[in-house]
Structures are given as structure tokens and as C-alpha cells.
């Protein structure tokens, strides 16, 4: 794993956005895997700005979101489809028919999960997958104990995740406790994975992901198996890592190597 430790959430958003901007400049018809939650919002804002400045275009882009609440239609303000429209799709030149979010209102969710896997495969697979991380180490809605080779399926949310996400729902509003999520195996199939984490409340999850054992108890630890996974985290999220100085040293060496290669 490449571990990039930056000062604060603004730097994390900028670094993460630059990875996506470079991806779209190199491959205009990229297939992007996208995430919801509060962490990627600032990154999406940077992508909107880059689009409006003419640096990138979403015209030929296809997207697949990680997850959706089961029981919410895409028109529901708390649905992840609604979130994506508001935070990104409505502000860039994307063809909405090329954007995919698991259908939370599917009559047959099991068939919908299989269909989602098929759509990803038909699109040629995901070039680059964006991830946040839950306090319990979840990625997508793959909660602890999720199979490390799992595919898109219906998952039950933990109480911790329901409590963390209660902030988005009004007190008297129905909050789903089931989801459709890409599996850990689906995520690992992406050619590149970029995980963003900011804030001290993610420090335990980042410690388990980077320095813990590969285990279903911390789904994000599965990224240890990925060939091209980048963790972009701020100092607060990195605060429990035992070897921060070493990770920063590796990153410095990496930057020097990239600069040398750019001159060739
Ligand atoms: C959302 C998702 C979740 C979030 C995670 C962190 O699509 O996949 O795994 O990334 O719950 O959420 P925030 O960013 O709100 O802390």
C-alpha cells in the first residue's frame, strides 16, 4: 500500500482529486468507482471545479457507486443516488445514463446485485475506485466479518454504522438498516484503489488497515492484498500508526523517483 500522510483534510481532498484528474486526462472514457459519505465531498468539489475550468470532462466517463440503502428509491433525499446527483453529477458534463448506483428500490435485490456485477463487467471493470472508511474499518457497506472475496450483495448494517449515519436522517425519519454494497472482492478487482480518511475518529480503523493483520474483522485490511492501493490520510487519521516517519520517508523517495522518471 502507498501511504500518503498530509497535514489536513483540505490537502487530502486536493491530493485525491489530482489522482482522479490525472486519470481522466490520461483516459477520457475511464470507469470510476465512487463513494458517498462526508469524506469525498471536498474531492468532488475539486472535480467540479476542474470540469468547469476545462481541465477534465466527464462526457465519456462511466461510474459505479459502492453502495445504496436498501428500501430507498433514488429520489429519496437520503439515498446515495440523490447524494451523488447533488454532490457531483448535476454539476459536471456526465451522461446520467452512464452513472450507476445499486438500486435501493429493486423488487428483487438479489437479482439486482447480480445485475450490478454484470454491468461492471460489461463496462470493462473499474479503473479507479474511491473509498472512505468507517470507524469500524468498513469499506462500502462491507461491515466487519464480511467475506474478503465477497461480491455485490445485500448486507445488514452494524449498530455503529447506523448510529454514525443517523446524523443524515431527521429524528422521526425511517433509517434503513440494510444495504446493497459491492463486495470486498468487487473492490479488489478495481485496477487502482484510493482510500481517503481524515480525522481522529478514523485513527483506529487506519491503524488496523495498515499495521493490523489481514482480517475480515477489519474489511479495509483486504487492501493489503491490492497491487495499487493508495491511502491518502491526514495527520489526525494517521495519529495511531507506529511508523509515520517511515511512511513519510517512503513517500518522499517515491516523489523523487517520479520526478526522475518524468525527465526520461
Ligand atoms: C459510502 C461508503 C462508506 C463510507 C464510510 C465513511 O459510500 O462506502 O464506507 O465511506 O462510512 O463515511 P464518512 O466519509 O461519512 O466518514
Amino acid at each position: 500500500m502507498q501511504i500518503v500522510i498530509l497535514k489536513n483534510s483540505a490537502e487530502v481532498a486536493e491530493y485525491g482529486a489530482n489522482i482522479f484528474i490525472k486519470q481522466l486526462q490520461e483516459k477520457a472514457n475511464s470507469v470510476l468507482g465512487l463513494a458517498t459519505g462526508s469524506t469525498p465531498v471536498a474531492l468532488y468539489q475539486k472535480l467540479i471545479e476542474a470540469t468547469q475550468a476545462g481541465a477534465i470532462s466527464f462526457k465519456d466517463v462511466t461510474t459505479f457507486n459502492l453502495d445504496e440503502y436498501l428500501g430507498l428509491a433514488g429520489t429519496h433525499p437520503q439515498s446515495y443516488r440523490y447524494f451523488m446527483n447533488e454532490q457531483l453529477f448535476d454539476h459536471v458534463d456526465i451522461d446520467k445514463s452512464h452513472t450507476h448506483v445499486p438500486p435501493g428500490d429493486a423488487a428483487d435485490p438479489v437479482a439486482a446485485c447480480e445485475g450490478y456485477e454484470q454491468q461492471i463487467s460489461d463496462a470493462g471493470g473499474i479503473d479507479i475506485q474511491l473509498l472512505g472508511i468507517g470507524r469500524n474499518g468498513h469499506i462500502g457497506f462491507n461491515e466487519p466479518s464480511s467475506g474478503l472475496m465477497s461480491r455485490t450483495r445485500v448486507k445488514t448494517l452494524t449498530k455503529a454504522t447506523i448510529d454514525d449515519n443517523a446524523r443524515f436522517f431527521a429524528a422521526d425519519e425511517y433509517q434503513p438498516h440494510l444495504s446493497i454494497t459491492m463486495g470486498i472482492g468487487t473492490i479488489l478487482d478495481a485496477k487502482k484503489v484510493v482510500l481517503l480518511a481524515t480525522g481522529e475518529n478514523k485513527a483506529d480503523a487506519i491503524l488496523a488497515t495498515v499495521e493490523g493483520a489481514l482480517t475480515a474483522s477489519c474489511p479495509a485490511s483486504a487492501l493489503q492484498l491490492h497491487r495499487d492501493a493508495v491511502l491518502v490520510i491526514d495527520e489526525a487519521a494517521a495519529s495511531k500508526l507506529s511508523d509515520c516517519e517511515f511512511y513519510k520517508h517512503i513517500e518522499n523517495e517515491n516523489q523523487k523517483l517520479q520526478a526522475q522518471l518524468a525527465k526520461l
Side-chain angles (χ1 to χ4, degrees):
M1 283 186 289
Q2 183 190 352
I3 301 155
V4 182
I5 302 171
L6 300 168
K7 256 197 238 104
N8 51 40
S9 57
E11 288 190 5
V12 167
E14 179 152 12
Y15 191 104
N18 284 338
I19 296 175
F20 279 78
I21 288 169
K22 187 163 170 268
Q23 171 73 31
L24 294 185
Q25 287 172 340
E26 284 172 3
K27 187 178 177 195
N29 64 347
S30 289
V31 179
L32 306 182
L34 300 177
T36 58
S38 23
T39 313
V41 169
L43 180 150
Y44 291 148
Q45 188 53 43
K46 300 251 169 235
L47 295 187
I48 293 167
E49 286 162 17
T51 308
Q52 289 169 354
I56 52 169
S57 167
F58 282 79
K59 197 167 54 68
D60 299 320
V61 167
T62 300
T63 66
F64 289 92
N65 262 78
L66 283 165
D67 44 14
E68 179 59 284
Y69 287 116
L70 191 58
L72 297 191
T75 48
H76 191 291
Q78 305 309 337
S79 72
Y80 285 171
R81 157 57 72 181
Y82 194 96
F83 175 99
M84 288 309 302
N85 288 346
E86 276 212 313
Q87 299 296 333
L88 181 66
F89 300 150
D90 284 345
H91 311 286
V92 294
D93 56 343
I94 200 160
D95 177 344
K96 284 245 183 84
S97 70
H98 296 166
T99 67
H100 305 86
V101 180
D105 56 352
D108 181 344
V110 175
C113 293
E114 281 167 22
Y116 204 64
E117 286 283 337
Q118 191 59 52
Q119 283 178 308
I120 294 173
S121 161
D122 291 346
I126 291 170
D127 289 307
I128 178 166
Q129 175 68 54
L130 179 63
L131 297 175
I133 185 170
R135 282 189 304 131
N136 60 7
H138 74 211
I139 47 177
F141 273 140
N142 295 285
E143 300 283 32
S145 83
S146 290
L148 297 180
M149 304 290 278
S150 50
R151 312 302 306 185
T152 303
R153 70 215 181 290
V154 174
K155 281 298 286 180
T156 306
L157 306 182
T158 59
K159 183 171 178 328
T161 297
I162 292 169
D163 290 349
D164 279 350
N165 290 353
R167 67 190 194 277
F168 298 113
F169 292 83
D172 57 350
E173 198 173 12
Y174 166 68
Q175 186 183 352
H177 54 269
L178 294 176
S179 66
I180 294 181
T181 180
M182 280 186 201
I184 297 175
T186 321
I187 292 168
L188 291 179
D189 280 351
K191 294 180 190 85
K192 185 179 184 82
V193 176
V194 179
L195 183 146
L196 307 186
T198 60
E200 217 179 315
N201 65 340
K202 299 292 172 69
D204 283 319
I206 289 299
L207 173 63
T209 301
V210 177
E211 295 178 354
L214 171 65
T215 169
S217 299
C218 175
S221 68
L223 299 180
Q224 294 172 12
L225 293 172
H226 199 277
R227 279 188 225 177
D228 190 3
V230 190
L231 270 60
V232 189
I233 61 183
D234 68 359
E235 295 275 2
S239 58
K240 294 200 174 162
L241 294 175
S242 64
D243 233 348
C244 270
E245 290 316 309
F246 179 55
Y247 306 136
K248 286 181 182 171
H249 173 63
I250 297 174
E251 190 47 26
N252 273 337
E253 294 300 312
N254 188 29
Q255 299 287 344
K256 279 192 230 160
L257 181 63
Q258 294 305 325
Q260 260 182 32
L261 292 177
K263 282 188 207 147
L264 293 181

